Amino acid sequence: MFTLGLKKIIYWLTLLNVGLISTQSVATGPRVAPSLFTDNTEYIYGMDFPPYISHDEIENGVIADIVNAVLKKENISADIMILPSKNMVKYYFSEENVLAVIGYNFDFNKANKTKADFIPILSVDEFYIYNSQRFPEGLHWEGNLSIFSGMHYGTYKGNNVSTYKEAGIIVKYGRLKSLLTQLELQKLDFMRVTAETINRFNENNTMVRLEPSIGTILLGVVFNNQHPKGIESAKKFKAGLQKIKENGLFEALVKKHLGHE
Amino acid sequence: MQKLTGILSVLAIFCSQMVLSIELVKPEIVGLSTQRLKRLDTLINQHISDNKIAGAVTLIARKGKIAYLQPSGMADTDKPMRADTIFRIVSMTKPITSVAVMLLYEQGKLLLSDPVSKYIPEFKGQKVIEMLPKGSQFPYKLVPVKRDVTIHDLLTHQSGILYLASTGWFPNPKREQVVSFYRDAGITDGFCRPDESIGDMVKRLAKLPLYSQPGEAWEYGLSVDVLGYLIEVISGQKFDNFVKTNIFEPLKMQDSHFYLPKNKLSRLSADWNSDWKGSLKRVNAPLIDGDLALCPSDGEQTSGKYLSGGASVLSTAYDYFRFAQMLLNQGKLDGTRLLSRKTVELMTATNHIGHHDAELLHSKGWKFGLGFAIQQDRQHNVDSGDKGVFEWAGYYSTRFSVNPTEETVTIFLSQTSPFGAHFGLWDSITALSTSAIAD
């Protein structure tokens, strides 16, 4: 009887312990730093570029939304991390061989170009804009930068500005929103933005776009063929992108974010 | 001119004390020497007549009573300094923010050991910059943090987060690289108020590399701005509103604001640029020196988005005295208890930075508590009178010092740039304040 009783006690104590350990260990157990656990997530680093890639946009912007849709469709496991510095995005691609990066005009050097597989997602037109209150008579753009000589031009750090400097233009750096504020405050004379940027941020209706368009930029994803899954993921991504274009999802996402096809 | 300034100053003291109705006691009642306190007049007036500073308000209190409150010189080209002149106290905002954090700590809403990422997820998985040897293909690499940045790290400037202006104080390639990321990301020191919310700034900052591993270096920087946003996240209130309802109002700090109300703009001091050799000019435009950007005119904004926990508050000598006296009283003022005695002890009586030194404003022998530098011994260059003295300062030349042993509060408020020229004057003021003790 005694033996059976002891066994029962041990049995119930064991059961009780199983139930208790998980909660008690949280309160009284050793403090386990989360950093001891390895993070296995693959990251795709994106450069902050509103309204296309930005934490301030729904689903982090149209490009992030499309990329996520394709990743999901093709079972590619990766999270998008948007960074506020283009140079950091380039660092991760160049030095840490991350799976992929998203953005535009990466200005990769030769070594990075050889490992980059660029998949364009969206092509958008760019225009010069100015503040109509600063230039009530308007500015006239005929394709020659020299007409802006001596003026203040706003752009992002990491963009190639050599042609502007050669034309005698004073370059000021900043983030898109701060540059637009400076343009509003007439601390900048002109900057280069996409049509969607004007539509989204021209709240006071003071920004005027100069025709014709300066050109087109391609927003897209760059897979890294030095990453163990880079080549395979790029292949799957291309196929997935084609599929969502064919089934209408791509068009729907563009419309959702930008209001047009 | 000096006569006119003198008459205006007398009038100013009379008018401002009528408005403030500040109770001043005879210094001897609280064990201070009137005669010795007059040495402060001589020191400050000499700096004014030498055109080193335009004006100042100096306050000395002991045993909870103000024994010396002296406005000197000019607050603006056409305005004499008054006891109730309002100053941009800049980094003297930091102790206020630290107290706000400790209020939440006392409510059980946070632990100092909590990782910041628990409340602001962008802080998860941060990287630290490591410079690679000269000749490497790439100049640096980013390595994972050994542990997450904690609230304690932020309170004690051990997070690895920098000020951009620090490239001017302690230049080195690693600092320059981190700051270049800050510039890319539109991070500023917040002395010129950006047109964005503090949360927007902090979320971007969190994605950028740290200068050092959390807890492994003392680096004065934007950590307290992060705390301002943390307070918003945890309390669910706008940071300025939290500080107003939980600190300014209970302590009756009626002239302390993040943005001045319109009717107080006339009391704001101008800022002055001094070469410390006799050339003193009113600052009418932003002061830019490398990565340091100061915008004195931002103090005239009556509203705005940016609420910097490290720099945004404007205040008076009397208001800041009330705040400092609360700390000296171990958390209580005029019957209102803000913090417990034990919490104030934790903030002010303990070295929180181990073997590091907090040398930015002081010298070796100064450590850091939760929001203040704390004197550890009396054998180094900067002596504020006792072990355990805690103090901090602000970029437009403001400083406060609390001596718990002697129960004194010393406050000096001026608005003169550049900041670095003032150390001698500040140190002399604390020396004269201490040597006025006569019991």
mmCIF file of all heavy atoms in Angstrom, chain B residues 9-49:
data_model
loop_
_atom_site.group_PDB
_atom_site.id
_atom_site.type_symbol
_atom_site.label_atom_id
_atom_site.label_comp_id
_atom_site.label_asym_id
_atom_site.label_seq_id
_atom_site.Cartn_x
_atom_site.Cartn_y
_atom_site.Cartn_z
ATOM 1 N N SER B 9 17.818 96.884 -14.253
ATOM 2 C CA SER B 9 17.910 95.615 -13.515
ATOM 3 C C SER B 9 17.124 95.686 -12.206
ATOM 4 O O SER B 9 16.397 94.772 -11.857
ATOM 5 C CB SER B 9 19.362 95.271 -13.208
ATOM 6 O OG SER B 9 20.049 95.089 -14.415
ATOM 7 N N VAL B 10 17.269 96.837 -11.501
ATOM 8 C CA VAL B 10 16.535 97.003 -10.237
ATOM 9 C C VAL B 10 15.036 96.928 -10.509
ATOM 10 O O VAL B 10 14.284 96.226 -9.832
ATOM 11 C CB VAL B 10 16.912 98.348 -9.557
ATOM 12 C CG1 VAL B 10 15.989 98.640 -8.370
ATOM 13 C CG2 VAL B 10 18.364 98.308 -9.103
ATOM 14 N N LEU B 11 14.622 97.674 -11.569
ATOM 15 C CA LEU B 11 13.215 97.657 -11.952
ATOM 16 C C LEU B 11 12.757 96.236 -12.291
ATOM 17 O O LEU B 11 11.673 95.797 -11.915
ATOM 18 C CB LEU B 11 12.996 98.543 -13.180
ATOM 19 C CG LEU B 11 12.682 100.012 -12.889
ATOM 20 C CD1 LEU B 11 12.644 100.797 -14.182
ATOM 21 C CD2 LEU B 11 11.327 100.121 -12.173
ATOM 22 N N ALA B 12 13.651 95.548 -13.008
ATOM 23 C CA ALA B 12 13.317 94.184 -13.447
ATOM 24 C C ALA B 12 13.113 93.260 -12.261
ATOM 25 O O ALA B 12 12.151 92.493 -12.211
ATOM 26 C CB ALA B 12 14.429 93.638 -14.340
ATOM 27 N N ILE B 13 14.013 93.341 -11.268
ATOM 28 C CA ILE B 13 13.870 92.484 -10.079
ATOM 29 C C ILE B 13 12.543 92.805 -9.395
ATOM 30 O O ILE B 13 11.765 91.918 -9.050
ATOM 31 C CB ILE B 13 15.034 92.708 -9.077
ATOM 32 C CG1 ILE B 13 16.363 92.322 -9.727
ATOM 33 C CG2 ILE B 13 14.833 91.879 -7.812
ATOM 34 C CD1 ILE B 13 17.572 92.760 -8.926
ATOM 35 N N PHE B 14 12.275 94.122 -9.270
ATOM 36 C CA PHE B 14 11.058 94.554 -8.604
ATOM 37 C C PHE B 14 9.828 94.005 -9.335
ATOM 38 O O PHE B 14 8.961 93.367 -8.734
ATOM 39 C CB PHE B 14 11.038 96.087 -8.569
ATOM 40 C CG PHE B 14 9.808 96.658 -7.906
ATOM 41 C CD1 PHE B 14 9.630 96.534 -6.534
ATOM 42 C CD2 PHE B 14 8.828 97.292 -8.659
ATOM 43 C CE1 PHE B 14 8.490 97.045 -5.939
ATOM 44 C CE2 PHE B 14 7.696 97.801 -8.059
ATOM 45 C CZ PHE B 14 7.519 97.679 -6.700
ATOM 46 N N CYS B 15 9.799 94.234 -10.674
ATOM 47 C CA CYS B 15 8.631 93.806 -11.461
ATOM 48 C C CYS B 15 8.474 92.299 -11.426
ATOM 49 O O CYS B 15 7.385 91.775 -11.189
ATOM 50 C CB CYS B 15 8.772 94.240 -12.918
ATOM 51 S SG CYS B 15 8.715 96.016 -13.091
ATOM 52 N N SER B 16 9.593 91.585 -11.678
ATOM 53 C CA SER B 16 9.481 90.129 -11.815
ATOM 54 C C SER B 16 9.099 89.496 -10.477
ATOM 55 O O SER B 16 8.346 88.534 -10.437
ATOM 56 C CB SER B 16 10.769 89.530 -12.344
ATOM 57 O OG SER B 16 11.812 89.822 -11.473
ATOM 58 N N GLN B 17 9.594 90.082 -9.382
ATOM 59 C CA GLN B 17 9.246 89.471 -8.106
ATOM 60 C C GLN B 17 7.806 89.779 -7.727
ATOM 61 O O GLN B 17 7.159 89.031 -7.010
ATOM 62 C CB GLN B 17 10.236 89.880 -7.034
ATOM 63 C CG GLN B 17 11.546 89.112 -7.255
ATOM 64 C CD GLN B 17 12.650 89.493 -6.319
ATOM 65 O OE1 GLN B 17 12.435 90.282 -5.412
ATOM 66 N NE2 GLN B 17 13.819 88.938 -6.541
ATOM 67 N N MET B 18 7.307 90.913 -8.273
ATOM 68 C CA MET B 18 5.887 91.199 -8.064
ATOM 69 C C MET B 18 5.054 90.126 -8.751
ATOM 70 O O MET B 18 4.085 89.608 -8.210
ATOM 71 C CB MET B 18 5.547 92.565 -8.654
ATOM 72 C CG MET B 18 5.628 93.657 -7.599
ATOM 73 S SD MET B 18 5.288 95.291 -8.247
ATOM 74 C CE MET B 18 3.969 95.072 -9.373
ATOM 75 N N VAL B 19 5.469 89.806 -9.988
ATOM 76 C CA VAL B 19 4.726 88.805 -10.762
ATOM 77 C C VAL B 19 4.857 87.435 -10.112
ATOM 78 O O VAL B 19 3.892 86.712 -9.918
ATOM 79 C CB VAL B 19 5.256 88.757 -12.222
ATOM 80 C CG1 VAL B 19 4.595 87.631 -12.992
ATOM 81 C CG2 VAL B 19 5.007 90.082 -12.913
ATOM 82 N N LEU B 20 6.109 87.103 -9.763
ATOM 83 C CA LEU B 20 6.375 85.751 -9.261
ATOM 84 C C LEU B 20 6.021 85.573 -7.791
ATOM 85 O O LEU B 20 5.733 84.467 -7.367
ATOM 86 C CB LEU B 20 7.870 85.447 -9.424
ATOM 87 C CG LEU B 20 8.317 84.903 -10.764
ATOM 88 C CD1 LEU B 20 9.831 84.879 -10.805
ATOM 89 C CD2 LEU B 20 7.788 83.494 -10.973
ATOM 90 N N SER B 21 6.104 86.657 -7.054
ATOM 91 C CA SER B 21 6.030 86.633 -5.597
ATOM 92 C C SER B 21 6.867 85.492 -5.009
ATOM 93 O O SER B 21 6.364 84.607 -4.325
ATOM 94 C CB SER B 21 4.582 86.599 -5.087
ATOM 95 O OG SER B 21 3.895 85.522 -5.635
ATOM 96 N N ILE B 22 8.145 85.554 -5.358
ATOM 97 C CA ILE B 22 9.082 84.555 -4.843
ATOM 98 C C ILE B 22 9.546 84.984 -3.453
ATOM 99 O O ILE B 22 9.919 86.147 -3.264
ATOM 100 C CB ILE B 22 10.319 84.431 -5.771
ATOM 101 C CG1 ILE B 22 9.885 83.967 -7.156
ATOM 102 C CG2 ILE B 22 11.352 83.480 -5.186
ATOM 103 C CD1 ILE B 22 10.974 84.070 -8.187
ATOM 104 N N GLU B 23 9.543 84.048 -2.555
ATOM 105 C CA GLU B 23 9.975 84.382 -1.202
ATOM 106 C C GLU B 23 11.485 84.199 -1.086
ATOM 107 O O GLU B 23 12.003 83.089 -1.296
ATOM 108 C CB GLU B 23 9.254 83.470 -0.210
ATOM 109 C CG GLU B 23 9.400 83.943 1.223
ATOM 110 C CD GLU B 23 8.915 82.906 2.210
ATOM 111 O OE1 GLU B 23 8.067 82.072 1.833
ATOM 112 O OE2 GLU B 23 9.403 82.926 3.356
ATOM 113 N N LEU B 24 12.170 85.300 -0.825
ATOM 114 C CA LEU B 24 13.613 85.220 -0.621
ATOM 115 C C LEU B 24 13.912 85.361 0.866
ATOM 116 O O LEU B 24 13.264 86.167 1.543
ATOM 117 C CB LEU B 24 14.316 86.365 -1.367
ATOM 118 C CG LEU B 24 14.902 86.028 -2.745
ATOM 119 C CD1 LEU B 24 13.802 85.907 -3.775
ATOM 120 C CD2 LEU B 24 15.878 87.103 -3.173
ATOM 121 N N VAL B 25 14.873 84.597 1.358
ATOM 122 C CA VAL B 25 15.222 84.734 2.769
ATOM 123 C C VAL B 25 16.600 85.383 2.883
ATOM 124 O O VAL B 25 17.395 85.353 1.946
ATOM 125 C CB VAL B 25 15.246 83.371 3.509
ATOM 126 C CG1 VAL B 25 13.870 82.729 3.493
ATOM 127 C CG2 VAL B 25 16.312 82.447 2.935
ATOM 128 N N LYS B 26 16.840 85.963 4.028
ATOM 129 C CA LYS B 26 18.168 86.513 4.290
ATOM 130 C C LYS B 26 19.135 85.320 4.297
ATOM 131 O O LYS B 26 18.862 84.305 4.967
ATOM 132 C CB LYS B 26 18.170 87.200 5.665
ATOM 133 C CG LYS B 26 19.355 88.078 5.883
ATOM 134 C CD LYS B 26 19.149 88.958 7.114
ATOM 135 C CE LYS B 26 20.321 89.874 7.307
ATOM 136 N NZ LYS B 26 21.336 89.411 8.205
ATOM 137 N N PRO B 27 20.223 85.383 3.546
ATOM 138 C CA PRO B 27 21.121 84.232 3.436
ATOM 139 C C PRO B 27 21.532 83.639 4.782
ATOM 140 O O PRO B 27 21.617 82.409 4.935
ATOM 141 C CB PRO B 27 22.317 84.791 2.672
ATOM 142 C CG PRO B 27 21.737 85.898 1.846
ATOM 143 C CD PRO B 27 20.651 86.491 2.673
ATOM 144 N N GLU B 28 21.764 84.503 5.757
ATOM 145 C CA GLU B 28 22.256 84.016 7.060
ATOM 146 C C GLU B 28 21.252 83.056 7.714
ATOM 147 O O GLU B 28 21.638 82.169 8.472
ATOM 148 C CB GLU B 28 22.555 85.196 7.984
ATOM 149 C CG GLU B 28 23.917 85.857 7.734
ATOM 150 C CD GLU B 28 23.998 86.592 6.391
ATOM 151 O OE1 GLU B 28 22.933 86.894 5.804
ATOM 152 O OE2 GLU B 28 25.130 86.835 5.924
ATOM 153 N N ILE B 29 19.978 83.235 7.407
ATOM 154 C CA ILE B 29 18.953 82.356 8.006
ATOM 155 C C ILE B 29 19.176 80.894 7.601
ATOM 156 O O ILE B 29 18.894 79.973 8.362
ATOM 157 C CB ILE B 29 17.533 82.840 7.608
ATOM 158 C CG1 ILE B 29 17.256 84.174 8.274
ATOM 159 C CG2 ILE B 29 16.447 81.814 7.941
ATOM 160 C CD1 ILE B 29 15.949 84.828 7.857
ATOM 161 N N VAL B 30 19.690 80.713 6.391
ATOM 162 C CA VAL B 30 19.937 79.333 5.930
ATOM 163 C C VAL B 30 21.433 79.012 5.891
ATOM 164 O O VAL B 30 21.876 78.103 5.180
ATOM 165 C CB VAL B 30 19.283 79.073 4.549
ATOM 166 C CG1 VAL B 30 17.777 79.036 4.674
ATOM 167 C CG2 VAL B 30 19.719 80.109 3.511
ATOM 168 N N GLY B 31 22.197 79.755 6.648
ATOM 169 C CA GLY B 31 23.621 79.432 6.783
ATOM 170 C C GLY B 31 24.468 79.830 5.598
ATOM 171 O O GLY B 31 25.486 79.200 5.309
ATOM 172 N N LEU B 32 24.048 80.878 4.888
ATOM 173 C CA LEU B 32 24.856 81.392 3.781
ATOM 174 C C LEU B 32 25.304 82.812 4.121
ATOM 175 O O LEU B 32 24.628 83.516 4.878
ATOM 176 C CB LEU B 32 24.050 81.404 2.476
ATOM 177 C CG LEU B 32 23.675 80.045 1.889
ATOM 178 C CD1 LEU B 32 22.642 80.208 0.776
ATOM 179 C CD2 LEU B 32 24.906 79.310 1.351
ATOM 180 N N SER B 33 26.397 83.232 3.562
ATOM 181 C CA SER B 33 26.924 84.555 3.850
ATOM 182 C C SER B 33 26.513 85.540 2.754
ATOM 183 O O SER B 33 26.838 85.339 1.574
ATOM 184 C CB SER B 33 28.455 84.469 3.933
ATOM 185 O OG SER B 33 29.020 85.724 3.669
ATOM 186 N N THR B 34 25.814 86.596 3.157
ATOM 187 C CA THR B 34 25.397 87.635 2.193
ATOM 188 C C THR B 34 26.628 88.215 1.491
ATOM 189 O O THR B 34 26.650 88.382 0.276
ATOM 190 C CB THR B 34 24.650 88.768 2.939
ATOM 191 O OG1 THR B 34 23.541 88.182 3.626
ATOM 192 C CG2 THR B 34 24.161 89.847 1.992
ATOM 193 N N GLN B 35 27.623 88.489 2.324
ATOM 194 C CA GLN B 35 28.836 89.097 1.789
ATOM 195 C C GLN B 35 29.502 88.199 0.738
ATOM 196 O O GLN B 35 29.921 88.657 -0.321
ATOM 197 C CB GLN B 35 29.779 89.343 2.959
ATOM 198 C CG GLN B 35 30.767 90.430 2.671
ATOM 199 C CD GLN B 35 31.743 90.601 3.825
ATOM 200 O OE1 GLN B 35 31.643 89.923 4.858
ATOM 201 N NE2 GLN B 35 32.672 91.488 3.655
ATOM 202 N N ARG B 36 29.551 86.930 1.037
ATOM 203 C CA ARG B 36 30.205 86.003 0.108
ATOM 204 C C ARG B 36 29.352 85.789 -1.158
ATOM 205 O O ARG B 36 29.886 85.605 -2.249
ATOM 206 C CB ARG B 36 30.482 84.668 0.793
ATOM 207 C CG ARG B 36 31.693 84.758 1.688
ATOM 208 C CD ARG B 36 31.928 83.528 2.515
ATOM 209 N NE ARG B 36 33.227 83.623 3.157
ATOM 210 C CZ ARG B 36 34.324 82.982 2.725
ATOM 211 N NH1 ARG B 36 34.254 82.183 1.682
ATOM 212 N NH2 ARG B 36 35.463 83.139 3.337
ATOM 213 N N LEU B 37 28.045 85.820 -0.996
ATOM 214 C CA LEU B 37 27.186 85.672 -2.179
ATOM 215 C C LEU B 37 27.376 86.850 -3.132
ATOM 216 O O LEU B 37 27.202 86.718 -4.339
ATOM 217 C CB LEU B 37 25.717 85.550 -1.767
ATOM 218 C CG LEU B 37 25.289 84.195 -1.190
ATOM 219 C CD1 LEU B 37 23.862 84.256 -0.656
ATOM 220 C CD2 LEU B 37 25.398 83.079 -2.230
ATOM 221 N N LYS B 38 27.738 87.991 -2.569
ATOM 222 C CA LYS B 38 27.960 89.174 -3.413
ATOM 223 C C LYS B 38 29.117 88.951 -4.391
ATOM 224 O O LYS B 38 29.214 89.629 -5.408
ATOM 225 C CB LYS B 38 28.222 90.408 -2.538
ATOM 226 C CG LYS B 38 26.919 91.006 -2.018
ATOM 227 C CD LYS B 38 27.160 92.311 -1.304
ATOM 228 C CE LYS B 38 25.830 92.851 -0.758
ATOM 229 N NZ LYS B 38 26.017 93.746 0.365
ATOM 230 N N ARG B 39 29.973 88.030 -4.058
ATOM 231 C CA ARG B 39 31.080 87.713 -4.985
ATOM 232 C C ARG B 39 30.534 87.199 -6.320
ATOM 233 O O ARG B 39 31.168 87.334 -7.357
ATOM 234 C CB ARG B 39 32.005 86.662 -4.369
ATOM 235 C CG ARG B 39 32.759 87.193 -3.166
ATOM 236 C CD ARG B 39 33.588 86.119 -2.510
ATOM 237 N NE ARG B 39 34.212 86.608 -1.294
ATOM 238 C CZ ARG B 39 34.910 85.849 -0.454
ATOM 239 N NH1 ARG B 39 35.061 84.553 -0.702
ATOM 240 N NH2 ARG B 39 35.449 86.363 0.615
ATOM 241 N N LEU B 40 29.347 86.576 -6.235
ATOM 242 C CA LEU B 40 28.713 86.112 -7.481
ATOM 243 C C LEU B 40 28.337 87.310 -8.351
ATOM 244 O O LEU B 40 28.505 87.268 -9.576
ATOM 245 C CB LEU B 40 27.460 85.288 -7.157
ATOM 246 C CG LEU B 40 27.703 83.856 -6.716
ATOM 247 C CD1 LEU B 40 26.485 83.303 -5.987
ATOM 248 C CD2 LEU B 40 28.031 82.965 -7.905
ATOM 249 N N ASP B 41 27.811 88.380 -7.707
ATOM 250 C CA ASP B 41 27.484 89.600 -8.469
ATOM 251 C C ASP B 41 28.729 90.088 -9.204
ATOM 252 O O ASP B 41 28.688 90.402 -10.392
ATOM 253 C CB ASP B 41 27.038 90.738 -7.530
ATOM 254 C CG ASP B 41 25.753 90.415 -6.791
ATOM 255 O OD1 ASP B 41 25.132 89.388 -7.104
ATOM 256 O OD2 ASP B 41 25.375 91.200 -5.903
ATOM 257 N N THR B 42 29.819 90.144 -8.451
ATOM 258 C CA THR B 42 31.068 90.654 -9.029
ATOM 259 C C THR B 42 31.502 89.796 -10.219
ATOM 260 O O THR B 42 31.838 90.307 -11.286
ATOM 261 C CB THR B 42 32.185 90.652 -7.951
ATOM 262 O OG1 THR B 42 31.659 91.259 -6.779
ATOM 263 C CG2 THR B 42 33.419 91.372 -8.430
ATOM 264 N N LEU B 43 31.459 88.486 -10.019
ATOM 265 C CA LEU B 43 31.897 87.559 -11.084
ATOM 266 C C LEU B 43 31.039 87.731 -12.344
ATOM 267 O O LEU B 43 31.568 87.878 -13.457
ATOM 268 C CB LEU B 43 31.795 86.113 -10.571
ATOM 269 C CG LEU B 43 32.108 85.024 -11.597
ATOM 270 C CD1 LEU B 43 33.604 84.911 -11.831
ATOM 271 C CD2 LEU B 43 31.555 83.665 -11.156
ATOM 272 N N ILE B 44 29.743 87.710 -12.155
ATOM 273 C CA ILE B 44 28.855 87.747 -13.328
ATOM 274 C C ILE B 44 28.879 89.129 -13.978
ATOM 275 O O ILE B 44 28.962 89.245 -15.208
ATOM 276 C CB ILE B 44 27.428 87.293 -12.944
ATOM 277 C CG1 ILE B 44 27.482 85.794 -12.621
ATOM 278 C CG2 ILE B 44 26.430 87.541 -14.074
ATOM 279 C CD1 ILE B 44 26.331 85.286 -11.817
ATOM 280 N N ASN B 45 28.862 90.177 -13.145
ATOM 281 C CA ASN B 45 28.905 91.524 -13.722
ATOM 282 C C ASN B 45 30.205 91.766 -14.489
ATOM 283 O O ASN B 45 30.212 92.476 -15.495
ATOM 284 C CB ASN B 45 28.726 92.580 -12.626
ATOM 285 C CG ASN B 45 27.287 92.589 -12.124
ATOM 286 O OD1 ASN B 45 26.372 92.152 -12.837
ATOM 287 N ND2 ASN B 45 27.072 93.036 -10.898
ATOM 288 N N GLN B 46 31.265 91.167 -14.010
ATOM 289 C CA GLN B 46 32.536 91.297 -14.729
ATOM 290 C C GLN B 46 32.428 90.642 -16.110
ATOM 291 O O GLN B 46 32.887 91.209 -17.103
ATOM 292 C CB GLN B 46 33.666 90.627 -13.913
ATOM 293 C CG GLN B 46 35.061 90.873 -14.476
ATOM 294 C CD GLN B 46 35.422 92.356 -14.484
ATOM 295 O OE1 GLN B 46 35.302 93.041 -13.462
ATOM 296 N NE2 GLN B 46 35.817 92.884 -15.641
ATOM 297 N N HIS B 47 31.810 89.472 -16.153
ATOM 298 C CA HIS B 47 31.622 88.797 -17.446
ATOM 299 C C HIS B 47 30.728 89.624 -18.367
ATOM 300 O O HIS B 47 30.927 89.629 -19.586
ATOM 301 C CB HIS B 47 31.018 87.394 -17.247
ATOM 302 C CG HIS B 47 32.043 86.363 -16.898
ATOM 303 N ND1 HIS B 47 32.621 86.270 -15.650
ATOM 304 C CD2 HIS B 47 32.613 85.387 -17.650
ATOM 305 C CE1 HIS B 47 33.496 85.283 -15.647
ATOM 306 N NE2 HIS B 47 33.516 84.722 -16.846
ATOM 307 N N ILE B 48 29.757 90.322 -17.776
ATOM 308 C CA ILE B 48 28.868 91.152 -18.600
ATOM 309 C C ILE B 48 29.621 92.388 -19.099
ATOM 310 O O ILE B 48 29.573 92.717 -20.285
ATOM 311 C CB ILE B 48 27.599 91.545 -17.802
ATOM 312 C CG1 ILE B 48 26.746 90.290 -17.550
ATOM 313 C CG2 ILE B 48 26.785 92.602 -18.550
ATOM 314 C CD1 ILE B 48 25.623 90.474 -16.551
ATOM 315 N N SER B 49 30.355 93.027 -18.191
ATOM 316 C CA SER B 49 31.060 94.236 -18.660
ATOM 317 C C SER B 49 32.212 93.896 -19.601
ATOM 318 O O SER B 49 32.581 94.711 -20.440
ATOM 319 C CB SER B 49 31.517 95.091 -17.484
ATOM 320 O OG SER B 49 32.332 94.325 -16.642
#
